[in-house]
Amino acid sequence: MTHHTRQGLNEATLQNLATQERQRFIERNPQSKLLADRCTPHWLFGVPLHWMNDWSTPFALHVSAAQGAHVTDVDGHQLIDFCLGDTGSMFGHAPAAVVKAVQTQVAKGCTTMLATEDAAWVGEELARRFGLPVWQSAMTASDANRFLLRWVRAATGRQKLLVFNGCYHGTVDDVFVDLVNGKPQQRDSLLGQVHNLLDTTVVVEFNDLPALQAALDAGDIACVLAEPVMTNIGMVLPEPGYWEAAQAMIRSAGAMLILDETHTISSGTGGYARTEGLQPDALVFGKPIGGGVPCAVYGMSAELAQRAMDAKRNAAPGHSGIGTTLTANMLAMAAMRATLGEVATQSAYDHMLPLTRTLADGLRSAIAKHQLPWCVTQVGVRCEFQFGPTPPRNGTQADALRDGGLEQLIHLMLLNRGCMITPFHNMLLTCPATTAQDIEKLLAAFDEVLTALKG
């Protein structure tokens, strides 16, 4: 029986294509194969980060260079990159301003556990751009989310966290709770967790205001941690009026709202919250904020910042574990200053936004041409196609539209035709270096792939 995500497709055709495309990749990438064989004995799962095995390829693709909107692999193929490091390079690979800033800073030192002049500029710019007055730095968005949970719990005196089903906030253990047949359950895939997350984590469906209100009514929620648009299980947009009502509920319950904008910075220079007029108590920005150099930041309202500082000052002396030695290092600060000042600009978004609309419209046209019951969703410079006729309204619906085998086949076919998209789902990004010609090539490849899928 054909899975509902494969309506209009023939299973035998898909199986034959998978075999052909894997062989095509093997024949095109002998140097990557050699390097993959060398890595296998010395890296867990054969790669320095096991996520690198989540691509659709028979062995890990190895890269020699990345510039602008293109990646060159070790076999000399130039690929148009719509993955962009899964948002880490959303502003393009090796942007000139960041390269210059990093090269200059490396010659002057990378880390001292002391601030530089860049810190003053970056703090002022974060407050101006994103609307929250007080900030702290982290190395990754996972760290930023983890640190904020500590601060908010200390500030509120409450322990419980509320998240949305299917959420993604990096490697924060607290969030790995799902709704399974309507019941909260610690995620089976979470390795090595010895604490019962259900004691302190509450999960409800996105866009379900009654469920949110019922959870908040208990009066023990410290904060709601959310992406303003769900992006990782498959894009889920908030329904009209949802966040306006949700914010009022959260405030009334004495809880705080943390918005993780690591992906939704795609919405505009001020992220989704600033673009849409939301008023969170805290914000998290990671991945692209340093132009590809590892760093993240988290911001707080004046009230939360004061309560957090009071909690710290009133606590017993000693190491609190909120931060790491390399946090806010000089290299990261230089990269953030260059990115915010010269790369992630309004003119960059003015270039990317219409290109992404063209990309999303082109995907819709190709899907309609081939009479496939799929939809396309967009938030700023990020878009995604999903295997259902209408966009999902919550994590459960989004998960039902996932089809790992079909996703991986499409991704491999696009890669063999010179286009990279995000390996974990069907997400595409544009960057300031993306051109109209890049979009045309992707859409031509996508049409070719759909033609082959339909047989």
Side-chain angles (χ1 to χ4, degrees):
M1 181 177 178
T2 301
H3 192 273
H4 70 91
T5 58
R6 303 188 180 191
Q7 184 179 337
L9 303 177
N10 179 274
E11 288 296 326
T13 299
L14 299 184
Q15 291 174 15
N16 289 336
L17 280 174
T19 300
Q20 294 168 15
E21 295 293 334
R22 287 174 64 86
Q23 185 60 36
R24 180 175 177 176
F25 180 88
I26 292 168
E27 292 171 357
R28 280 170 49 88
N29 295 282
Q31 293 304 312
S32 273
K33 178 64 164 63
L34 287 173
L35 288 172
D37 289 344
R38 285 178 58 189
C39 285
T40 295
H42 306 296
W43 292 107
L44 192 67
F45 298 105
V47 282
L49 172 64
H50 69 89
W51 295 4
M52 293 174 180
N53 276 336
D54 291 338
W55 291 80
S56 55
T57 56
F59 45 82
L61 183 69
H62 284 66
V63 171
S64 64
Q67 183 75 46
H70 295 85
V71 164
T72 303
D73 66 32
V74 293
D75 286 282
H77 307 119
Q78 188 176 79
L79 308 168
I80 307 171
D81 190 2
F82 292 93
C83 170
L84 296 169
D86 191 21
T87 313
S89 294
M90 194 188 90
F91 300 113
H93 297 290
V98 176
V99 171
K100 181 180 178 181
V102 167
Q103 288 175 336
T104 300
Q105 187 59 55
V106 164
K108 297 192 294 183
C110 292
T111 185
T112 59
M113 213 172 71
L114 293 167
T116 61
E117 180 187 347
D118 289 333
W121 188 96
V122 169
E124 292 165 352
E125 175 61 12
L126 291 171
R128 182 199 69 81
R129 180 182 286 238
F130 300 119
L132 292 181
V134 183
W135 292 79
Q136 277 281 273
S137 184
M139 285 299 293
T140 68
S142 293
D143 278 348
N145 282 315
R146 192 176 293 113
F147 298 160
L148 259 176
L149 289 179
R150 295 273 302 280
W151 287 121
V152 169
R153 283 168 167 158
T156 62
R158 298 178 177 182
Q159 294 186 349
K160 288 196 175 180
L161 162 69
L162 187 147
V163 295
F164 293 107
N165 185 39
C167 69
Y168 181 75
H169 300 289
T171 58
V172 180
D173 289 357
D174 304 62
V175 307
F176 288 99
V177 177
D178 299 318
L179 284 176
V180 179
N181 298 320
K183 301 292 184 181
Q185 178 178 305
Q186 188 164 305
R187 191 170 300 173
D188 291 336
S189 60
L190 182 59
L191 298 176
Q193 174 55 260
V194 297
H195 304 292
N196 184 2
L197 298 181
L198 300 184
D199 290 341
T200 53
T201 300
V202 176
V203 59
V204 300
E205 292 285 11
F206 195 61
N207 279 321
D208 188 339
L209 288 171
L212 176 61
Q213 184 66 71
L216 291 168
D217 282 345
D220 56 359
I221 301 295
C223 65
V224 174
L225 173 60
E227 290 184 288
V229 175
M230 296 186 73
T231 63
N232 206 70
I233 197 167
M235 199 177 294
V236 182
L237 297 172
E239 294 179 340
Y242 174 75
W243 274 120
E244 181 180 5
Q247 287 180 119
M249 289 178 179
I250 294 165
R251 282 194 296 270
S252 179
M256 293 193 172
L257 174 61
I258 302 174
L259 290 181
D260 181 350
E261 292 237 40
T262 299
H263 285 169
T264 55
I265 195 174
S266 64
S267 302
T269 54
Y272 188 93
R274 205 72 191 272
T275 301
E276 299 297 327
L278 306 187
Q279 296 181 310
D281 298 285
L283 286 167
V284 169
F285 292 98
K287 290 186 184 178
I289 201 78
V293 174
C295 56
V297 290
Y298 58 99
M300 302 180 184
S301 67
E303 178 193 355
L304 174 56
Q306 187 60 57
R307 291 169 70 177
M309 288 188 289
D310 288 345
K312 173 66 174 171
R313 289 170 180 146
N314 293 329
H319 177 52
S320 65
I322 304 181
T324 58
T325 307
L326 290 176
T327 295
N329 66 76
M330 297 188 294
L331 192 65
M333 282 293 170
M336 275 196 284
R337 181 171 184 172
T339 301
L340 294 170
E342 303 179 62
V343 180
T345 60
Q346 186 60 55
S347 62
Y349 280 91
D350 289 344
H351 170 79
M352 294 187 287
L353 287 166
L355 275 181
T356 310
R357 285 191 288 270
T358 298
L359 173 58
D361 288 342
L363 293 172
R364 291 187 186 100
S365 295
I367 288 166
K369 171 185 172 182
H370 293 280
Q371 299 181 314
L372 289 165
W374 301 351
C375 62
V376 176
T377 312
Q378 180 185 354
V379 56
V381 303
R382 172 186 304 272
C383 69
E384 179 168 326
F385 60 93
Q386 291 163 291
F387 302 135
T390 56
R393 67 180 300 270
N394 59 43
T396 295
Q397 291 180 8
D399 189 49
L401 301 183
R402 300 291 301 276
D403 184 332
L406 183 56
E407 288 175 10
Q408 292 233 320
L409 175 56
I410 293 172
H411 299 175
L412 180 59
M413 294 178 75
L414 288 173
L415 188 61
N416 282 338
R417 288 154 182 79
C419 300
M420 294 171 55
I421 71 173
T422 305
F424 310 116
H425 43 108
N426 302 318
M427 192 274 292
L428 302 90
L429 284 163
T430 62
C431 74
T434 304
T435 66
Q437 290 72 33
D438 293 332
I439 302 294
E440 290 172 4
K441 290 177 182 177
L442 181 280
L443 292 175
F446 188 64
D447 181 71
E448 183 180 335
V449 167
L450 295 192
T451 298
L453 291 178
K454 290 295 295 273

